[in-house]
Amino acid sequence: MKRYVIIGNGIAAAGCIEGIRSVDGSGEITVISEEKHGVYCRPLISYYLEGKTDLERIRYRNADFYERMSCRVLYGRKAVRIRHDRHEAELDDGSAVGYDAVCLATGAAPFVPEYEGLDTVPRRFTFTSLDDALALEKAVGPSSRVLILGAGLIGLKCAEGLSGRAGEVTVCNRSPRILSSILDEESADTVRRHMEKNGIRFMLGETVSRFEKDRAVMSGGDTVGFDVLVTALGVRPEISLLEGTGAQTGRGALTDARMETSAAGVYAAGDCTESEDVSSGRKRVMAILPNAYMQGHAAGVNMAGGSEVFEKALPMNSMGLFGLHVMTAGSYEGETYTEKTEESFKRLFISDGLLKGFIIIGGCERAGIYTAMIREKTPIASVDFEMLKKTASTAAYPPQMRRKMFGGVV
Amino acid sequence: MKRIYVNEEWCLGCHLCEYNCAFANSGLSDMALALKGKPIFPRIRVEDGEKISYAVSCRHCTDPICVKSCIAGALSKDGDTVRIDGNRCVGCFTCVLVCPYGALAPGENGVMRKCELCLDNACGEPACVKGCPNRAIVYEQRGEA
Ligand SMILES: Cc1cc2nc3c(=O)[nH]c(=O)nc-3n(C[C@H](O)[C@H](O)[C@H](O)COP(=O)(O)OP(=O)(O)OC[C@H]3O[C@@H](n4cnc5c(N)ncnc54)[C@H](O)[C@@H]3O)c2cc1C
């Protein structure tokens, strides 16, 4: 009987379990779960604070998931080393679990830079886990002044999640642009204005030079008082366990399309990996849930002796912020096509005769048609792009292509 | 499996399927009460091109990218059918971002609604198919799986 070990118990792990079980119904699966919870929807922790989900509904799979998949889960245990020479994962209690194939599904950990005086702040949090959300739920009350460092996806979702609970929420960001990794200047402005209308305060283009308990002294000299501090300055792939295994790493774990690292038998999936962005051809960390699930699934199938590849990785995101939907995909290179109103924004990026990326705020209907064009590298010359750029519709596809797609008679 | 297919040559672009769908999923027994003077949220939509029109609803993909992408664990495959649990959906639109057919759209309360082949409603068979005046929409098994 084959022995599988999965390190981490997030989305990639869930995909891996389902992937293994689609091939091997009886092998022994052990999941090492640092968190004491079964797999939950990490992106929903801000929705939890808003009261839009609860501890039951936030589960990614039903409560009987591990039983149904006959997995052993070691809750509250952390893997500290992979002894690949012995095919064992060593745990923080000194025990070891043997494997025939192991999957690193450790995700990405919040990155907290060193700030002078940070350790004098009594109530400081990160925002990447359910326990973080539960702790913030306790710490934040109607009179709390919350300061969030970082205006990326996590920082802004945290601001939204806390806005109904806290007295005031201020987001401070080094870059003058919010969501700077996925928005350009104009689109970022649209989102910022919308958030400001909903009561979020921004301090942009500023950094904290030091903390003094409940005050942040800013680079410009101002001081900001706060009761609760959240650092949301990005996440880093958690790949330290690959040291000594022979597996190659960049910023994240490097794998082939089967999700196996250069160390045979060691697989990696999810936020801890780096893969090639199909829209730009460049390697990057794409820390998003769809990739984590699909990579995990592919890893699981291959670990169990089946065959599945994960290709066509694409950075993409869809998020709501106070009711405004922000969708982005691909890379922002080449010529642009832009439509703008007071509340909506759409910009398509076109290069080499291909749609490369888009930013859509507001009217997001059927945006998946654009996403598919980027992913499948559909030449824009093969479709009625004049029509398509205005409205995402398969009606702009030539009949042959559309009928094939919809299974109709050609 | 059986799927809903549309013959674009026969589709009149009358949008009746949208009304039949919205009515079948309204839970009400009076069509006027269910639809009159209200915005409707059908799970099938007619695409009007310059020369053609045809209705689009969920393809119930064999390997559905929406299910794999759902950040709320709300979409799942139940046998051959892609289902949504409206109680778990938070309306993030990730499924809209990934569906290559443009087959998902939000319902009245902001959570996603999609074609579930009228399995749970009183119609018992796809209402769009049943009510299509020109039989352009059919529910049948074709060549592929
Ligand atoms: C607030 C927030 C909002 C987000 N919103 C979105 C969104 O809208 N759309 C989207 O696509 N993505 C979103 N994401 C990202 C998404 O959550 C991740 O891409 C996804 O969770 C990655 O899955 P994973 O399994 O790779 O890692 P994770 O889900 O992070 O799971 C990794 C697990 O491994 C555990 N672990 C790490 N090291 C060890 C060890 N040595 N031993 C044992 N266990 C270990 C960790 O504790 C963790 O539980 C969001 C993330 C956050 C935090």
Side-chain angles (χ1 to χ4, degrees):
Chain A
M1 199 154 61
K2 222 166 164 175
R3 296 163 310 159
Y4 308 95
V5 167
I6 301 171
I7 305 178
N9 188 22
I11 305 298
C16 187
I17 293 168
E18 290 175 356
I20 293 171
R21 284 292 175 243
S22 70
V23 176
D24 178 352
S26 61
E28 209 174 84
I29 304 178
T30 306
V31 180
I32 302 162
S33 177
E34 186 181 6
E35 289 189 80
K36 293 200 171 98
H37 308 282
V39 59
Y40 62 89
C41 303
R42 192 171 304 281
L44 300 202
I45 59 174
S46 64
Y47 295 83
Y48 173 79
L49 290 175
E50 278 180 277
K52 289 188 176 165
T53 186
D54 52 42
L55 292 178
E56 191 50 42
R57 286 182 294 161
I58 203 169
R59 291 178 197 277
Y60 185 60
R61 293 291 183 255
N62 290 333
D64 64 352
F65 175 65
Y66 300 100
E67 203 184 316
R68 229 170 1 93
M69 294 285 153
S70 52
C71 290
R72 180 166 70 124
V73 187
L74 306 178
Y75 287 107
R77 281 273 84 81
K78 191 172 174 177
V80 290
R81 196 144 80 117
I82 298 177
R83 284 296 301 263
H84 195 45
D85 50 340
R86 292 197 212 149
H87 279 243
E88 277 178 8
E90 292 178 358
L91 310 189
D92 56 354
D93 62 353
S95 65
V97 192
Y99 62 79
D100 297 301
V102 62
C103 184
L104 190 78
T106 44
F111 168 70
V112 185
E114 281 181 25
Y115 285 102
E116 187 187 329
L118 187 60
D119 53 350
T120 66
V121 178
R123 285 195 280 184
R124 67 191 145 97
F125 303 86
T126 51
F127 193 60
T128 60
S129 71
L130 185 54
D131 285 342
D132 290 339
L134 294 171
L136 276 165
E137 183 181 30
K138 282 214 188 90
V140 174
S143 62
S144 307
R145 296 163 302 163
V146 178
L147 177 64
I148 299 173
L149 295 191
L153 180 143
I154 293 177
L156 297 190
K157 284 307 275 182
C158 182
E160 180 187 39
L162 289 175
S163 70
R165 295 178 173 268
E168 63 177 59
V169 178
T170 305
V171 178
C172 164
N173 199 44
R174 176 193 297 268
S175 159
R177 192 163 20 121
I178 66 168
L179 291 170
S180 59
S181 63
I182 56 169
L183 297 184
D184 58 14
E185 216 163 292
E186 275 178 280
S187 52
D189 266 0
T190 310
V191 179
R192 180 184 47 77
R193 281 197 311 267
H194 181 76
M195 291 192 72
E196 282 171 347
K197 268 187 221 152
N198 284 278
I200 304 298
R201 259 186 64 201
F202 285 97
M203 297 181 68
L204 302 176
E206 288 202 66
T207 54
V208 175
S209 55
R210 66 175 188 282
F211 288 101
E212 294 166 357
K213 263 164 78 182
D214 55 359
R215 295 181 341 140
V217 180
M218 308 304 294
S219 46
D222 290 353
T223 52
V224 187
F226 61 85
D227 304 301
V228 169
L229 176 72
V230 180
T231 52
L233 295 150
V235 294
R236 298 277 154 90
E238 190 58 78
I239 51 173
S240 55
L241 291 175
L242 291 180
E243 269 166 43
T245 61
Q248 276 174 8
T249 56
R251 277 190 303 152
L254 296 172
T255 69
D256 59 18
R258 300 170 55 259
M259 303 317 295
E260 191 168 19
T261 66
S262 53
V266 178
Y267 293 74
D271 283 9
C272 64
T273 67
E274 183 177 314
S275 30
E276 186 178 306
D277 167 359
V278 67
S279 69
S280 69
R282 285 188 289 274
K283 284 234 177 246
R284 55 188 285 189
V285 176
M286 284 170 263
I288 53 171
L289 186 141
N291 285 358
Y293 182 83
M294 291 188 265
Q295 293 181 331
H297 195 273
V301 167
N302 294 313
M303 286 163 77
S307 173
E308 185 171 301
V309 292
F310 173 77
E311 286 165 319
K312 302 182 182 171
L314 189 65
M316 57 179 178
N317 205 277
S318 176
M319 68 192 295
L321 286 166
F322 297 101
L324 184 68
H325 286 279
V326 180
M327 274 191 191
T328 58
S331 44
Y332 306 151
E333 42 190 74
E335 288 166 41
T336 57
Y337 166 78
T338 306
E339 279 173 21
K340 252 168 48 170
T341 67
E342 192 50 35
E343 262 107 54
S344 75
F345 181 93
K346 169 164 158 183
R347 181 162 286 163
L348 307 180
F349 296 83
I350 301 127
S351 146
D352 305 329
L354 301 172
L355 184 62
K356 292 286 186 178
F358 63 76
I359 298 170
I360 300 177
I361 298 169
C364 299
E365 298 84 24
R366 297 182 295 264
I369 292 168
Y370 292 141
T371 311
M373 278 194 75
I374 303 172
R375 184 184 287 113
E376 303 306 328
K377 299 190 179 176
T378 311
I380 59 173
S382 69
V383 302
D384 180 351
F385 197 67
E386 279 310 300
M387 172 184 182
L388 194 70
K389 69 186 187 189
K390 295 189 189 107
T391 316
S393 168
T394 50
Y397 288 1
Q400 213 87 344
M401 197 165 137
R402 183 172 54 245
R403 286 177 198 166
K404 185 159 171 233
M405 197 175 168
F406 286 98
V409 275
V410 182
Chain B
M1 70 168 285
K2 275 170 90 171
R3 285 197 171 87
I4 290 174
Y5 295 98
V6 179
N7 189 331
E8 9 179 292
E9 260 99 73
W10 294 354
C11 174
L12 308 169
C14 70
H15 295 248
L16 204 55
C17 50
E18 298 178 351
Y19 286 93
N20 283 322
C21 175
F23 175 49
N25 290 304
S26 68
L28 299 174
S29 54
D30 183 316
M31 198 161 190
L33 213 62
L35 307 178
K36 200 166 174 184
K38 295 182 188 168
I40 64 164
F41 298 91
R43 299 154 192 211
I44 187 166
R45 301 250 175 173
V46 174
E47 296 267 18
D48 292 304
E50 255 168 42
K51 297 190 200 91
I52 42 127
S53 52
Y54 56 96
V56 176
S57 59
C58 175
R59 308 315 300 146
H60 297 283
C61 300
T62 312
D63 190 18
I65 192 167
C66 59
V67 172
K68 294 178 169 184
S69 302
C70 178
I71 67 165
L75 283 157
S76 63
K77 192 110 200 228
D78 174 12
D80 285 334
T81 315
V82 175
R83 312 278 287 215
I84 186 153
D85 179 347
N87 191 35
R88 286 197 189 192
C89 174
V90 294
C92 74
F93 284 51
T94 303
C95 51
V96 176
L97 174 70
V98 298
C99 175
Y101 303 99
L104 293 111
E108 54 277 89
N109 52 2
V111 309
M112 291 298 144
R113 286 285 171 255
K114 63 178 294 304
C115 165
E116 297 188 315
L117 302 167
C118 289
L119 293 173
D120 291 335
N121 63 39
C123 193
E125 61 182 299
C128 55
V129 175
K130 199 174 164 189
C132 181
N134 207 28
R135 306 238 168 108
I137 312 178
V138 295
Y139 183 47
E140 62 189 30
Q141 171 119 27
R142 289 199 177 168
E144 35 83 72

